[in-house]
Amino acid sequence: MTSPAVSARKGRVRYRRILRFATRYMVQNWWFELVLPRVGLSSLAARGRTNRWRRMARNFHRLATDLGGLMIKVGQFLSTRLDVLPPEVTRELEGLQDEVNPERFDAIRALAEAELGLKLEDAYASFDPIPMAAASLGQVHRATLTADAAADTGWANVVVKVQRPGIEMIVGVDLAAIRRVARALSRVKIISSRVDLPALAEEFAGTSLEEIDYLHEAQNADRFAEQFAGDPRVRVPGIAWERTTRRVLTLEDVSAIKINDLDALRAAGIDPSHVATEFATVMFDQLFVHGFFHGDAHPGNIFVTPLPGGGYTLTFVDFGMMGEIPADLRRGLQQALIPLAARDGRRLVASMRDLGVLLPSADTRELEKVMNALFARFGGIAFTALQQVDPREMLKFAEEFGETVRNLPFQLPENFLLVIRASSLTSGLSSTLDPDFNIWNAVEPYAAKLLLDERGGVIGSFAREAASIVGITIGLPRRLDDLATRLDNGDLEVNTPKLDLRLRRIERLIARAVSAIVFAGLLVGGILLRPTDVVLGTVFMSVSGLPLLHAVFGGLFGRRSR
């Protein structure tokens, strides 16, 4: 057994490794994505972007595989982002689904026997020492219940999930590092104005701590099963409560075809594209109807079970990471889904404000323009099809609306972290099952169903919309008359005394501030580049002196010129 001193030392080493990795790539992205474009070097920043992301993903893959713990969870999340991340990144990370080294069986045996208070030979009729799966927080072994236990449950074949020894210390260290990074990023104004990262870190911490409590997971499984009772689309394994503790979980063996095993699905006569749509619908039910949802629905946690008479059922496992949406937030999500399906930018922005995704003081007119333009050009296109869109068209859109998008007044309200994760996993996995999967096609009938279920039905909805239009129409003549009167009276005239002088001062201040930023960027960039490119790094550091001179003496020259 590892001594406390050794464990503490390992924890400090682990903590420093995570922070070094985060710091390195935060600085790198700040340099290439913020500094270089501001000094007119966007083409230089874009030139090696794909290779930079690939290297970062590869290095994170190594880090996560080596460290395990919550770093695996972060990699699993990123590996499912097929809708927003390039394939070079997701391919580097997707192996994290299965590439966790198993724990030694003697350590697993010792922990399980201490928890159950029985020898494994007495607790189970058989117990396979070779794990069937090794996850970041625990590993799973096949076993068979004793005859008496099998008679009570109605099934004998089980899987036993045993927590990794020392995982509580590892989770504590990882959460400390995540909190530290969140605090650092929260000092960046563009981030802190949109999201409370420390609060999100605490939300993630609460979810992670619940995930290493197997009694809590067993209760979640029972609740999820009750939620889908009588629904033929979903299956949930039963729990052997007499063989379950906080660190050991025994449940019915429901192993079947892994959901992303396309060849096995086709061999069983199951169309993967149908599975994609069915999976998305089931996830929508959890998010928008029940409000209690699976927050870790990656391919390792979902099986497709063929039925004897044809068809299949989706079998969910691993209920450690579950989310719950309060009723008011769930209603807000439902209201946002309807304009999303209708490609209605104005109503979608209004729903986003009601959800708390937009700051109350935000001016949403420009955002509405962006949403309508986005729907007009890209609405209805599958996420994977976006890769075939002409890059010049994407660039034109970015140039037209880039500034508005960069200044979007977004913020993430509470309870959104797992909602975002579940939505990302849904779109990513559905795209894996069917490259032509179109999330819009899945949303539209679902939104129509929600619309019909609303109070007053669809007629009431049309009536409310008509009343809104009538109200605007009735008030329009008066508003136009008021505007004409103000124009006639000259009330719209803008008085700006000493404006030119103030503008000149502001221009000089801005120019000096930009020079200071350029100086810092060139200096830091030179320091970063020197280890790999001595010549270019030295040139950057040398040239940085020119903007420094302007930043320091520009104000003096400006005063003399007045």
Side-chain angles (χ1 to χ4, degrees):
M1 182 178 291
T2 306
S3 68
V6 173
S7 296
R9 185 166 63 252
K10 288 182 177 179
R12 288 192 296 270
V13 171
R14 180 186 185 90
Y15 179 79
R16 286 194 293 267
R17 283 189 64 186
I18 296 171
L19 287 187
R20 278 199 303 270
F21 183 91
T23 302
R24 173 185 175 185
Y25 287 105
M26 282 193 292
V27 171
Q28 183 188 90
N29 281 287
W30 169 78
W31 168 250
F32 283 104
E33 306 301 334
L34 293 178
V35 175
L36 291 186
R38 287 184 181 273
V39 297
L41 297 175
S42 298
S43 58
L44 177 62
R47 192 178 304 158
R49 183 174 287 127
T50 299
N51 288 333
R52 285 198 305 273
W53 278 97
R54 184 185 290 115
R55 281 195 302 270
M56 183 176 69
R58 189 177 297 131
N59 290 337
F60 183 83
H61 188 291
R62 292 196 202 98
L63 178 76
T65 303
D66 188 28
L67 294 181
L70 296 183
M71 296 301 101
I72 295 289
K73 294 293 180 185
V74 176
Q76 287 175 339
F77 171 67
L78 295 175
S79 72
T80 62
R81 295 308 307 266
L82 300 176
D83 47 347
V84 294
L85 290 178
E88 294 84 5
V89 173
T90 56
R91 274 198 296 267
E92 292 290 342
L93 296 177
E94 63 187 7
L96 285 170
Q97 305 287 3
D98 302 306
E99 282 187 4
V100 185
N101 293 325
E103 192 70 43
R104 298 189 331 272
F105 182 65
D106 58 345
I108 291 295
R109 171 189 281 275
L111 189 149
E113 291 180 347
E115 284 290 310
L116 296 172
L118 293 169
K119 292 285 188 183
L120 285 184
E121 292 78 8
D122 297 328
Y124 303 95
S126 66
F127 194 101
D128 189 349
I130 300 174
M132 61 179 290
S136 53
L137 305 181
Q139 63 189 50
V140 180
H141 295 256
R142 279 197 169 91
T144 307
L145 291 177
T146 60
D148 291 343
D152 291 337
T153 60
W155 27 266
N157 295 327
V158 295
V159 294
V160 183
K161 186 175 178 180
V162 184
Q163 198 173 102
R164 285 179 176 266
I167 195 63
E168 291 176 333
M169 182 276 291
I170 292 172
V171 168
V173 170
D174 289 357
L175 290 177
I178 290 170
R179 288 175 174 127
R180 177 74 178 272
V181 173
R183 286 196 301 270
L185 290 174
S186 69
R187 296 190 182 97
V188 181
K189 186 176 180 180
I190 194 172
I191 296 175
S192 62
S193 63
R194 288 157 176 77
V195 58
D196 187 347
L197 276 181
L200 286 181
E202 291 306 316
E203 186 179 341
F204 179 72
T207 302
S208 301
L209 293 173
E210 285 180 351
E211 195 171 0
I212 58 175
D213 182 350
Y214 288 170
L215 285 174
H216 183 77
E217 179 176 345
Q219 292 164 355
N220 285 339
D222 271 359
R223 180 178 174 183
F224 194 82
E226 183 179 350
Q227 179 170 284
F228 283 99
D231 190 332
R233 300 173 302 168
V234 177
R235 183 183 179 190
V236 181
I239 306 297
W241 285 99
E242 291 186 357
R243 295 292 180 266
T244 296
T245 71
R246 195 175 65 85
R247 303 175 73 185
V248 175
L249 174 63
T250 304
L251 62 162
E252 180 186 6
D253 188 353
V254 291
S255 303
I257 301 172
K258 200 172 179 180
I259 192 170
N260 65 343
D261 190 342
L262 305 185
D263 292 337
L265 289 174
R266 295 189 183 101
I270 299 172
D271 182 3
S273 62
H274 187 274
V275 176
T277 303
E278 192 81 337
F279 168 66
T281 304
V282 169
M283 291 301 295
F284 282 153
D285 279 344
Q286 296 173 47
L287 287 166
F288 301 115
V289 177
H290 302 297
F292 183 67
F293 62 94
H294 201 299
D296 198 21
H298 63 76
N301 287 337
I302 307 170
F303 297 107
V304 177
T305 306
L307 299 176
Y312 62 90
T313 185
L314 295 172
T315 303
F316 287 78
V317 299
D318 194 349
F319 299 92
M321 187 181 292
M322 303 295 290
E324 188 162 6
I325 308 176
D328 56 343
L329 180 59
R330 190 161 69 251
R331 283 192 295 271
L333 289 172
Q334 292 173 352
Q335 291 301 318
L337 192 64
I338 295 170
L340 182 65
R343 321 307 200 254
D344 187 336
R346 181 182 64 82
R347 290 185 62 189
L348 179 59
V349 170
S351 298
M352 291 165 65
R353 185 190 286 273
D354 293 340
L355 273 171
V357 175
L358 292 174
L359 295 171
S361 59
D363 182 358
T364 57
R365 289 172 295 182
E366 288 300 317
L367 181 56
E368 289 176 11
K369 291 180 183 178
V370 174
M371 289 297 182
N372 285 325
L374 192 66
F375 284 140
R377 175 57 191 93
F378 304 113
I381 297 179
F383 287 125
T384 51
L386 289 175
Q387 298 173 13
Q388 277 71 53
V389 174
D390 189 340
R392 290 172 297 182
E393 188 170 357
M394 299 286 278
L395 180 60
K396 181 181 177 183
F397 185 89
E399 289 173 347
E400 186 176 356
F401 298 106
E403 191 62 29
T404 301
V405 172
R406 280 192 292 272
N407 293 289
L408 288 179
F410 287 146
Q411 64 177 2
L412 288 179
E414 284 187 62
N415 306 304
F416 246 57
L417 187 62
L418 274 183
V419 172
I420 292 172
R421 175 177 169 80
S423 302
S424 301
L425 288 167
T426 300
S427 62
L429 182 51
S430 296
S431 298
T432 300
L433 288 164
D434 180 9
D436 297 324
F437 175 78
N438 194 324
I439 194 70
W440 306 103
N441 293 339
V443 164
E444 282 176 340
Y446 198 84
K449 178 178 175 238
L450 288 174
L451 190 62
L452 289 171
D453 289 343
E454 291 221 308
R455 279 198 306 268
V458 69
I459 295 176
S461 179
F462 283 140
R464 286 191 294 273
E465 190 70 23
S468 174
I469 294 171
V470 169
I472 293 172
T473 305
I474 292 172
L476 188 58
R478 177 178 294 179
R479 294 171 67 184
L480 291 173
D481 183 63
D482 289 344
L483 179 60
T485 301
R486 292 174 66 188
L487 285 169
D488 289 339
N489 295 335
D491 291 342
L492 293 181
E493 196 173 297
V494 180
N495 297 316
T496 57
K498 300 183 180 179
L499 179 60
D500 291 340
L501 178 60
R502 292 178 181 177
L503 283 175
R504 283 196 297 272
R505 289 176 180 173
I506 291 171
E507 286 171 357
R508 283 194 297 273
L509 285 172
I510 291 173
R512 293 174 65 193
V514 169
S515 293
I517 292 171
V518 171
F519 158 70
L522 289 171
L523 181 63
V524 173
I527 293 170
L528 289 173
L529 288 171
R530 268 182 66 88
T532 56
D533 193 328
V534 176
V535 175
L536 186 59
T538 303
V539 169
F540 272 39
M541 294 174 68
S542 301
V543 173
S544 69
L546 295 176
L548 175 62
L549 290 173
H550 179 259
V552 173
F553 298 109
L556 177 61
F557 297 149
R559 285 194 295 272
R560 287 180 178 176
S561 66
R562 289 202 299 271

